[in-house]
């Protein structure tokens, strides 16, 4: 593989699984990924979604870190407008103190939920507008120079937990460039602005204490299987599950109904979301990722998988590691 590979673990709760099963699967994946040679695993903050168990993101990171030894772990991301920067500094300062040199802090400004859930979380509707200032406040708490006189993060101060800006629009690219931070683009589900965001980030990047040169992470969906037919079948099942997740409003569709939705205008958005997807045999997937990394100029790829079957889910990451000649740290 021409660039390092990392994993976005959606901590999905599969059909017939419990949340505890999901956490166990995340630990198993991390333990394998550590030995397979992946650089890092990130977990995303989502709320009020029955199929995603990573809502208490920092707690899950700590649990996985306690069951692994070397692999980097972090948030992809913490939705900072949902939280006070001091609270996040204390949480990730604790993680970094317990697991030094292994913790990342990716930050986004979306709610990670719907409007009703936002109100239940007591989120200020205008908090997203303060995202740039909140990032800088958080950065101060994690350094030795708090921007709020008399307020320090304990744990947190001096840990210098590396920050990453996440985004799916031009705003995140502009902010990451202005602050001199790494930038991760969510092209695994929001592909539209990828090329323009990458160009802006590289053009406007200003070196910082954390980062001398731009570091671009690009998201991509991956399903690798021992046969093309198997990979394509898994991909279809993944898209069907997204129909229920994104359009069902509590309803579960049959396969036939989901296929009809996918063919209809309402389902085209799901097809659009999966635009950047490497699906096939290991060699086919590697070829796709090599070309994708070259075209985007990515410094790192973070791969996600919506495969519901646990054995196939693990196998996909294993096959990708093997064909990419990853080396364990």
């Amino acid at each position: 593989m021409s660039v390092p590979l990392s994993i976005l673990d959606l901590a999905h709760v599969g059909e017939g699984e419990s949340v505890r099963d999901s956490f166990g699967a995340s630990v198993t994946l991390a333990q394998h990924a550590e030995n397979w040679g992946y650089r890092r695993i990130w977990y995303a903050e989502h709320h009020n979604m029955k199929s995603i168990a990573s809502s208490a993101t920092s707690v899950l990171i700590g649990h996985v870190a306690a069951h692994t030894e070397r692999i980097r772990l972090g948030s992809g991301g913490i939705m900072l407008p949902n939280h006070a920067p001091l609270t996040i500094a204390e949480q990730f300062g604790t993680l970094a103190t317990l697991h030094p040199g292994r913790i990342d802090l990716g930050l986004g400004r979306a709610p990670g939920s719907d409007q009703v859930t936002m109100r239940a979380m007591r989120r200020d509707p205008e908090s997203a507008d303060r995202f740039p200032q909140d990032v800088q406040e958080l950065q101060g708490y994690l350094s030795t120079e708090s921007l709020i006189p008399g307020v320090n993060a304990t744990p947190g101060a001096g840990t210098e937990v590396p920050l990453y800006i996440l985004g799916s629009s031009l705003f995140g690219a502009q902010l990451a460039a202005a602050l001199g931070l790494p930038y991760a683009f969510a092209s695994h589900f929001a592909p539209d602005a990828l090329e323009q965001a990458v160009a802006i980030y590289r053009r406007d990047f200003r070196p910082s204490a954390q980062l001398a040169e731009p570091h671009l992470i690009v998201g991509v969906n991956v399903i690798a299987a021992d046969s093309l037919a198997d990979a394509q079948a898994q991909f279809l099942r993944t898209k069907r599950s997204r129909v229920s997740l994104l359009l069902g409003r509590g309803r579960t569709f049959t396969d036939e109904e989901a296929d009809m939705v996918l063919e209809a205008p309402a389902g085209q958005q799901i097809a659009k979301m999966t635009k950047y997807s490497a699906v096939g045999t290991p060699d086919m997937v590697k070829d796709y990722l090599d070309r994708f990394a070259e075209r985007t100029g990515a410094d790192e790829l973070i791969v996600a998988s919506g495969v519901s079957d646990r054995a196939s889910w693990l196998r996909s990451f294993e096959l990708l590691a093997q064909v990419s000649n990853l080396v364990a740290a």
Side-chain angles (χ1 to χ4, degrees):
M1 195 69 206
S2 57
V3 298
L5 291 178
S6 297
I7 294 173
L8 176 63
D9 180 358
L10 299 176
H12 72 275
V13 183
E15 186 176 352
E17 288 187 334
S18 66
V19 170
R20 187 178 182 87
D21 293 332
S22 172
F23 293 155
S26 289
V27 169
T28 298
L29 173 62
Q31 291 171 337
H32 283 300
E34 187 169 70
N35 293 322
W36 290 334
Y38 286 94
R39 172 170 286 191
R40 70 183 95 238
I41 300 179
W42 281 356
Y43 307 90
E45 178 186 348
H46 292 281
H47 299 279
N48 197 29
M49 300 182 72
K50 292 182 179 179
S51 61
I52 298 180
S54 50
S55 54
T57 315
S58 59
V59 179
L60 179 57
I61 292 169
H63 176 66
V64 177
H67 289 82
T68 50
E69 297 178 359
R70 302 176 305 277
I71 193 166
R72 295 193 67 89
L73 301 164
S75 58
I78 288 291
M79 301 298 106
L80 191 55
N82 293 341
H83 311 275
L86 177 61
T87 299
I88 297 303
E90 292 168 341
Q91 291 177 7
F92 279 77
T94 298
L95 289 169
T97 301
L98 292 171
H99 309 284
R102 297 182 57 201
I103 303 300
D104 301 327
L105 177 47
L107 301 166
R109 66 168 182 156
S113 62
D114 54 42
Q115 296 295 319
V116 175
T117 307
M118 281 177 57
R119 289 194 290 272
M121 295 175 65
R122 307 294 192 267
R123 172 170 163 153
D124 179 352
E126 298 179 356
S127 56
D129 297 334
R130 299 193 297 271
F131 182 64
Q133 293 76 23
D134 283 351
V135 171
Q136 292 176 298
E137 182 180 338
L138 173 58
Q139 194 171 34
Y141 289 136
L142 293 171
S143 71
T144 56
E145 299 179 3
S146 172
L147 300 184
I148 309 301
V151 179
N152 295 284
T154 305
T159 57
E160 305 289 351
V161 177
L163 303 186
Y164 297 74
I165 299 298
L166 280 57
S168 57
S169 67
L170 305 186
F171 177 87
Q174 294 165 340
L175 180 62
L179 298 181
L181 295 175
Y183 179 53
F185 190 87
S187 40
H188 62 291
F189 75 88
D192 286 353
L194 172 60
E195 294 182 2
Q196 191 176 0
V198 167
I200 288 174
Y201 174 62
R202 292 203 177 279
R203 183 194 69 198
D204 297 341
F205 180 84
R206 300 177 183 176
S208 68
Q210 178 177 327
L211 196 64
E213 298 178 349
H215 185 84
L216 174 67
I217 303 175
V218 180
V220 58
N221 300 292
V222 166
I223 299 178
D226 293 293
S227 72
L228 175 59
D230 187 13
Q232 290 175 332
Q234 292 181 39
F235 191 37
L236 177 57
R237 287 194 290 271
T238 297
K239 289 187 285 188
R240 285 170 174 167
S241 68
R242 290 196 179 189
V243 170
S244 296
L245 176 65
L246 301 176
L247 303 176
R249 297 182 180 180
R251 175 187 173 188
T252 300
F253 293 87
T254 66
D255 289 348
E256 292 76 14
E257 290 171 336
D259 290 343
M260 291 177 63
V261 172
L262 289 170
E263 293 296 327
Q268 293 305 302
Q269 179 62 26
I270 292 175
K272 189 176 182 181
M273 290 172 65
T274 57
K275 176 180 179 180
Y276 296 124
S277 297
V279 179
T281 63
D283 287 336
M284 294 171 65
V285 168
K286 181 181 183 300
D287 180 65
Y288 182 102
L289 294 182
D290 281 336
R291 288 184 285 109
F292 185 64
E294 182 177 4
R295 183 167 70 82
T296 59
D299 300 297
E300 182 178 342
L301 295 180
I302 188 161
V303 299
S305 174
V307 174
S308 57
D309 175 70
R310 286 298 182 188
S312 299
W313 180 69
L314 278 174
R315 180 65 172 158
S316 181
F317 291 120
E318 179 183 19
L319 290 172
L320 177 56
Q322 290 175 350
V323 77
S324 303
N325 298 314
L326 301 185
V327 179

